[in-house]
Amino acid sequence: MKIALWILIFLGTFSFMEFMAWFTHKYVMHGFLWSLHKDHHKKDHDSWFERNDAFFLFYAAVSMTLFYLGSTTSFWYGWPLGFGILAYGIAYFMVHDIFIHQRFKFLRNANNWYARGVRRAHKMHHKHLGKEDGECFGMLVVPFKYFKKQ
């Protein structure tokens, strides 16, 4: 029973992280911490790193804290919560940084219906250089209209 609950917590956390990514992107990155996110929309430096990369540190710290609590206290569900956040972070990195923005030069030839839809949605998000008038703030789940054939 505990393994089933562990898996359920992990999958629920992974799924909830898509909402957290959307919420953080819309209300924090395009809100009061735009100063950290704006270089992602309009590159104003020569570095491979962006100030925007600092956002992953927050979720990494939350995940590591949950691992620590899971290993040192009776808070055993810190493990599936921490792994759910970690797994979402890996998926986000693979889709956003590697596939869409090509920070590493692989996955560039993925061209199935899901890849095209996610790429199209992200392109629409980046057509806005400022913090206002943005659209499509999610990452792994995007509106159906982006999956329709053009």
Side-chain angles (χ1 to χ4, degrees):
M1 179 64 182
K2 191 172 181 179
I3 189 74
L5 186 56
W6 201 100
I7 292 169
L8 189 63
I9 292 169
F10 167 81
L11 292 174
T13 302
F14 183 93
S15 299
F16 183 70
M17 286 304 296
E18 176 66 12
F19 166 76
M20 289 304 300
W22 171 86
F23 181 88
T24 303
H25 193 181
K26 184 168 182 156
Y27 295 108
V28 177
M29 294 177 180
H30 281 257
F32 66 95
L33 287 180
W34 173 250
S35 60
L36 291 177
H37 184 63
K38 68 182 173 184
D39 70 334
H40 181 64
H41 283 263
K42 187 175 182 186
K43 194 165 179 160
D44 60 357
H45 55 81
D46 293 327
S47 174
W48 184 82
F49 290 101
E50 299 174 348
R51 289 181 298 274
N52 182 66
D53 294 332
F55 287 105
F56 104 92
L57 295 173
F58 171 76
Y59 288 110
V62 171
S63 183
M64 289 186 292
T65 300
L66 289 165
F67 289 143
Y68 176 76
L69 292 172
S71 64
T72 61
T73 69
S74 61
F75 189 72
W76 64 266
Y77 39 95
W79 285 103
L81 289 168
F83 274 115
I85 294 169
L86 173 63
Y88 185 85
I90 292 168
Y92 188 98
F93 179 75
M94 295 292 291
V95 170
H96 183 262
D97 291 301
I98 294 178
F99 172 64
I100 293 173
H101 288 291
Q102 292 292 303
R103 288 177 88 175
F104 298 98
K105 303 301 180 196
F106 61 96
L107 295 181
R108 57 176 23 165
N109 295 325
N111 200 26
N112 59 56
W113 70 272
Y114 177 76
R116 286 190 305 271
V118 169
R119 190 183 293 127
R120 219 176 270 130
H122 203 74
K123 187 174 187 171
M124 291 306 294
H125 176 76
H126 275 273
K127 80 176 186 177
H128 305 284
L129 298 179
K131 75 182 212 176
E132 291 85 19
D133 301 322
E135 62 181 281
C136 199
F137 293 92
M139 178 51 51
L140 302 179
V141 178
V142 298
F144 182 71
K145 68 182 182 179
Y146 297 109
F147 296 105
K148 294 179 182 174
K149 290 196 181 232
Q150 298 292 340

